[in-house]
Amino acid sequence: MKINWKIFILLSLILVSCAKAGWEGNYFCELEQGEAAPGQAVVVEHELALGKSSCQLTVNGFQVEEDIVCKYEPIENGIRIQFVSYSNGSTKNRYGIEVYKPLETLFELHGNQDTPVTQWASLHAEELKGQSSDCFKKE
């Protein structure tokens, strides 16, 4: 049997595009990470904007302010969010430190697209790596 590689590649691209399409939109996550002092909660807000071919992650809160250009790709039952650069185009943060490597996984979203389960990876690695939470909600 002879395989027509052009058709195979085209069908693969269509499937990937369809898998990503349902995830497009804006997501918000407010993550409480303990207390800085008694009664003073450490809160970090995440805003994730996913377009057809765009991915932007803003992280603001206690001792953190990051604007990240990201990439997302479909995985089984979800998507993987990967670091591309900071919004200024550099892979180094404002202090000259390369916190993430290009295409390093920041986190994954699984399940329902409106209220996915977050599987944390490099983003907040010290506190959350390998943990799951119900953080992101589609707006």
Side-chain angles (χ1 to χ4, degrees), residues 20-28 47-57 70 72 79 81 109 113-114 136-139:
K20 288 174 74 171
W23 288 95
E24 292 174 10
N26 297 316
Y27 294 81
F28 182 77
E47 294 181 38
L48 177 65
L50 301 176
K52 188 173 186 174
S53 59
S54 65
C55 178
Q56 182 73 32
L57 176 66
C70 47
Y72 71 106
I79 56 171
I81 307 297
L109 300 176
Q113 295 167 353
D114 292 330
F136 282 93
K137 306 288 186 257
K138 196 170 193 177
E139 296 181 319

Side-chain angles (χ1 to χ4, degrees), residues 24-126:
E24 292 174 10
N26 297 316
Y27 294 81
F28 182 77
C29 164
E30 185 174 273
L31 189 63
E32 194 168 315
Q33 294 183 291
E35 293 184 344
Q40 184 182 6
V42 174
V43 177
V44 179
E45 294 180 346
H46 306 74
E47 294 181 38
L48 177 65
L50 301 176
K52 188 173 186 174
S53 59
S54 65
C55 178
Q56 182 73 32
L57 176 66
T58 303
V59 183
N60 288 305
F62 184 77
Q63 297 184 342
V64 64
E65 183 180 342
E66 298 180 318
D67 286 314
I68 295 173
V69 176
C70 47
K71 171 187 174 190
Y72 71 106
E73 64 182 15
I75 56 174
E76 185 177 338
N77 196 32
I79 56 171
R80 176 177 296 126
I81 307 297
Q82 297 173 303
F83 177 81
V84 173
S85 69
Y86 290 95
S87 60
N88 65 2
S90 176
T91 58
K92 294 181 180 178
N93 67 13
R94 67 182 75 221
Y95 306 107
I97 299 169
E98 188 175 79
V99 178
Y100 314 108
K101 302 239 181 280
L103 301 182
E104 184 173 347
T105 299
L106 300 173
F107 57 90
E108 295 177 354
L109 300 176
H110 297 273
N112 183 312
Q113 295 167 353
D114 292 330
T115 56
V117 173
T118 306
Q119 179 71 42
W120 298 100
S122 296
L123 190 68
H124 308 302
E126 292 178 15

Side-chain angles (χ1 to χ4, degrees), residues 121-138:
S122 296
L123 190 68
H124 308 302
E126 292 178 15
E127 304 91 355
L128 298 171
K129 188 170 188 170
Q131 296 183 35
S132 296
S133 68
D134 295 330
C135 193
F136 282 93
K137 306 288 186 257
K138 196 170 193 177

